[in-house]
């Protein structure tokens, strides 16, 4: 028997004695595992979707800021071009006779004053040359004698290379007693006859313009800052903290980023950096978004998924209880019938069967087995009765008058011969036979 069990394969031992309990345990484990997998996948998908939407949204915002800044720079370049090519400015720098004309000087000052009054984003506007010629703002400002123009970086670039130049943020120190954080746009003024740069026109842009452009396209509770190709911060909403080293930014990572965005992990949260590079200025416009702010939707989705998962779990467990009961109920009836048969009670032990499934087939086989057992028992009783009758007939045929006559005659002869013990033995044997 042990060899047969070994040959039949490995036995599976169920943890519970009840099939229904085992089914519920297995189904519950499978359901919980499936719902947990669904919960994790759904949560990860939601997180990725929120992150991708946030990247797309902030990328569009930084791109819009870039386009606004480019348009603004284009507008400033148009102003500088208009002033640099003005006949009044060229006559002032080139024509020595016209340079002393008070009307010419007044027209240029009036033009500069009008620009300053209408454009609050312009801190200074001036035309200067190394020949001690210069008109600054309303004409009351003068150059700083302690800072030679040729020593200033932006002035040297315009003088040597011409064209238009845009600086990073810096303190303007070429104007006496006028030290402001500005961005300088400078443009060379050329002699139309020789092509030589004879002067420089420059506009100092204050932070108001950049601040308005960045805040116009704000990204919620976070911020936008701007850096130049060299990594110098041009604009930051907390500029004072930056320059006092109380706050730092991811400048190197921004310059090295090739994907247009990157994530900076900070504990359980972090920040999302999206980058848009201006093709006109080369500046990088960086949007910074707090991941905790983005993932507020994730927390709401997480609560919703927990509720849905719990609801599915309750419903599926109830269905498992119902289905397992429906499956095991016929088996329970079959088990009870078998116990009755085991006690020897064959009356009313047949199982009602419905359908054509395996349990119904098992019930039908059990009913057939009970019927055959009853038939065999009835046949056995009949055969036993017939056997007893045959034995009685055989005994009756053996007991006849001739046999009794011989036996009694033998007893008489033994009694006459005094063989009393033999008489007793033979009489007892005859009595047992007759019994």
């Amino acid at each position: 028997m042990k060899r047969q069990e070994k040959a039949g394969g490995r036995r599976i031992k169920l943890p519970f004695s009840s099939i229904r309990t085992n089914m519920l345990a297995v189904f519950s484990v499978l359901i919980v595992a499936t719902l947990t997998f669904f919960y994790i996948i759904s949560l990860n998908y939601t997180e990725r979707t929120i992150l991708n939407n946030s990247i797309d949204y902030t990328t569009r915002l930084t791109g819009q800021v870039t386009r606004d800044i480019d348009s603004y720079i284009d507008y400033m370049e148009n102003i500088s071009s208009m002033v640099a090519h003005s006949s009044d400015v060229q006559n002032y720098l080139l024509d020595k006779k016209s340079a002393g004309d008070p009307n010419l000087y007044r027209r240029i000052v009036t033009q500069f004053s009008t620009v300053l009054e209408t454009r609050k984003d312009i801190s200074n506007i001036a035309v200067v040359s190394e020949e001690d010629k210069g008109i600054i703002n309303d004409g009351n400002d003068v150059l700083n004698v302690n800072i030679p123009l040729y020593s200033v970086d932006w002035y040297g670039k315009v003088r040597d290379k011409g064209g238009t130049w845009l600086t990073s943020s810096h303190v303007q120190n070429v104007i006496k007693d006028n030290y402001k954080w500005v961005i300088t746009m400078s443009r060379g003024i050329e002699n139309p006859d020789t092509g030589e740069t004879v002067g420089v026109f420059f506009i100092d842009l204050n932070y108001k313009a950049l601040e308005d452009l960045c805040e116009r396209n704000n990204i919620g509770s976070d911020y936008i800052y701007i850096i130049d190709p060299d990594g110098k911060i041009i604009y930051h909403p907390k500029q004072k903290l930056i320059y006092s080293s109380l706050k730092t930014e991811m400048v190197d990572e921004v310059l090295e980023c090739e994907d247009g965005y990157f994530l900076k992990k900070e504990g359980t949260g972090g920040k999302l950096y999206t980058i848009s590079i201006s093709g006109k200025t080369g500046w990088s416009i960086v949007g910074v978004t707090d991941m905790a702010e983005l993932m507020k939707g994730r927390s709401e989705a997480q609560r919703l998924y927990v509720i849905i998962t719990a609801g599915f779990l309750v419903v599926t467990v109830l269905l498992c209880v119902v289905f397992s009961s429906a499956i095991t109920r016929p088996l329970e009836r079959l088990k009870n019938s078998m116990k009755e048969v085991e006690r020897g009670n064959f009356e009313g032990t047949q199982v009602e069967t419905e359908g054509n499934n395996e349990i119904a087939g098992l019930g039908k086989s059990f009913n057939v087995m009970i019927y055959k057992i009853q038939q065999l028992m009835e046949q056995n009783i009949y055969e036993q009765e017939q056997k007893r009758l045959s034995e009685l007939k055989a005994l009756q045929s053996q007991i006849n008058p001739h046999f009794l006559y011989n036996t009694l005659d033998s007893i008489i002869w033994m009694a006459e011969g005094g063989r009393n013990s033999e008489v007793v033995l033979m009489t007892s044997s005859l009595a047992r036979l007759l019994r």
Side-chain angles (χ1 to χ4, degrees):
M1 186 67 181
K2 290 183 179 179
R3 290 180 179 177
Q4 291 178 354
E5 288 182 358
K6 186 175 181 181
R10 185 177 179 181
R11 298 177 62 186
I12 299 176
K13 185 177 181 181
L14 298 176
F16 304 103
S17 58
S18 169
I19 293 178
R20 182 169 178 265
T21 305
N22 283 302
M23 290 176 64
L24 286 175
V26 172
F27 289 157
S28 298
V29 170
L30 291 176
I31 291 169
V32 170
T34 302
L35 291 178
T36 302
F37 180 75
F38 162 77
Y39 172 78
I40 294 173
I41 293 298
S42 300
L43 198 60
N44 289 337
Y45 173 77
T46 301
E47 184 174 342
R48 287 197 304 271
T49 301
I50 292 174
L51 180 60
N52 291 335
N53 290 339
S54 300
I55 291 172
D56 180 65
Y57 174 67
T58 53
T59 299
R60 284 188 285 108
L61 281 180
T62 53
Q64 183 60 48
V65 173
T66 302
R67 290 188 291 272
D68 290 346
I69 290 176
D70 288 348
S71 297
Y72 176 73
I73 298 300
D74 281 336
Y75 180 75
M76 289 296 121
E77 285 184 344
N78 291 335
I79 292 178
S80 67
S81 177
M82 179 184 65
V83 174
H85 291 90
S86 168
S87 59
D88 287 341
V89 170
Q90 292 196 358
N91 289 333
Y92 174 76
L93 293 176
L94 298 174
D95 192 346
K96 294 182 180 181
K97 294 181 179 179
S98 300
D101 184 359
N103 292 326
L104 176 63
Y105 182 85
R106 192 180 307 111
R107 286 197 300 271
I108 296 174
V109 169
T110 301
Q111 186 179 16
F112 286 2
S113 298
T114 303
V115 172
L116 289 172
E117 289 175 1
T118 57
R119 300 292 307 191
K120 300 301 182 183
D121 53 328
I122 297 178
S123 296
N124 299 301
I125 181 170
V127 56
V128 294
S129 73
E130 295 181 19
E131 298 178 355
D132 296 330
K133 286 186 177 181
I135 301 177
I136 304 173
N137 298 329
D138 58 1
N140 293 322
D141 291 317
V142 296
L143 292 173
N144 188 348
V145 296
N146 297 318
I147 306 294
L149 282 175
Y150 60 82
S151 66
V152 180
D153 181 64
W154 55 266
Y155 185 87
K157 288 180 178 178
V158 173
R159 284 284 293 163
D160 297 338
K161 301 179 181 180
T164 302
W165 292 84
L166 191 67
T167 70
S168 299
S169 57
H170 66 101
V171 175
Q172 184 60 280
N173 54 7
V174 300
I175 303 174
K176 184 180 179 181
D177 299 329
N178 190 340
Y179 305 103
K180 298 177 181 178
W181 277 98
V182 295
I183 298 168
T184 300
M185 174 183 287
S186 54
R187 185 188 190 98
I189 301 175
E190 298 179 354
N191 186 329
D193 297 329
T194 64
E196 178 187 2
T197 301
V198 295
V200 174
F201 170 79
F202 71 87
I203 299 176
D204 285 335
L205 309 176
N206 59 32
Y207 273 86
K208 180 64 177 175
L210 295 179
E211 184 178 359
D212 290 344
L213 290 173
C214 292
E215 290 185 354
R216 187 189 307 165
N217 298 282
N218 66 80
I219 48 179
S221 62
D222 300 294
Y223 59 93
I224 293 175
Y225 68 94
I226 305 171
I227 62 176
D228 66 10
D230 296 326
K232 187 176 180 180
I233 293 180
I234 296 172
Y235 165 79
H236 196 286
K238 298 180 179 179
Q239 192 83 3
K240 293 181 179 179
L241 295 178
I242 293 293
Y243 281 100
S244 60
S245 299
L246 296 177
K247 182 177 178 61
T248 58
E249 284 293 352
M250 309 287 288
V251 174
D252 293 337
E253 289 80 356
V254 168
L255 295 177
E256 295 172 0
C257 180
E258 297 179 354
D259 298 327
Y261 73 92
F262 66 90
L263 295 173
K264 178 189 176 185
K265 295 293 185 180
E266 294 178 351
T268 57
K271 292 186 180 297
L272 169 65
Y273 288 75
T274 52
I275 306 154
S276 176
I277 300 176
S278 169
K280 185 174 187 62
T281 63
W283 294 348
S284 295
I285 290 79
V286 185
V288 183
T289 310
D290 191 356
M291 292 296 294
E293 192 73 19
L294 294 179
M295 292 305 164
K296 283 184 178 179
R298 179 182 182 274
S299 300
E300 296 176 0
Q302 186 175 8
R303 287 193 293 270
L304 178 62
Y305 291 149
V306 168
I307 294 172
I308 294 175
T309 303
F312 274 131
L313 182 61
V314 171
V315 171
T316 49
V317 168
L318 291 176
L319 290 176
C320 284
V321 171
V322 173
F323 288 142
S324 62
S325 298
I327 293 172
T328 56
R329 193 178 296 114
L331 292 175
E332 190 68 24
R333 290 198 296 264
L334 183 60
K335 174 187 174 183
N336 295 333
S337 296
M338 287 182 175
K339 285 186 176 180
E340 291 296 322
V341 172
E342 184 181 353
R343 297 189 186 101
N345 181 15
F346 289 88
E347 296 297 329
T349 56
Q350 288 192 342
V351 180
E352 296 181 3
T353 59
E354 296 179 358
N356 296 317
N357 54 46
E358 291 81 355
I359 298 177
L362 186 62
K364 291 177 182 178
S365 299
F366 177 77
N367 292 336
V368 172
M369 181 187 70
I370 295 299
Y371 175 75
K372 289 186 177 180
I373 289 175
Q374 288 178 320
Q375 282 187 328
L376 290 173
M377 290 179 65
E378 291 174 358
Q379 183 179 355
N380 186 45
I381 292 170
Y382 175 77
E383 290 177 352
Q384 290 295 329
E385 290 176 353
Q386 294 299 318
K387 182 178 179 181
R388 292 193 191 97
L389 291 174
S390 299
E391 290 176 348
L392 287 174
K393 288 180 181 180
L395 289 173
Q396 287 175 357
S397 64
Q398 291 177 5
I399 303 172
N400 50 51
H402 179 70
F403 170 74
L404 291 175
Y405 168 76
N406 289 334
T407 303
L408 292 174
D409 187 57
S410 297
I411 293 171
I412 292 171
W413 281 104
M414 284 188 288
E416 290 178 351
R419 296 157 59 183
N420 295 330
S421 59
E422 294 180 4
V423 171
V424 174
L425 179 61
M426 183 170 288
T427 304
S428 299
S429 299
L430 179 61
R432 284 197 300 276
L433 175 63
L434 294 176
R435 183 183 176 185

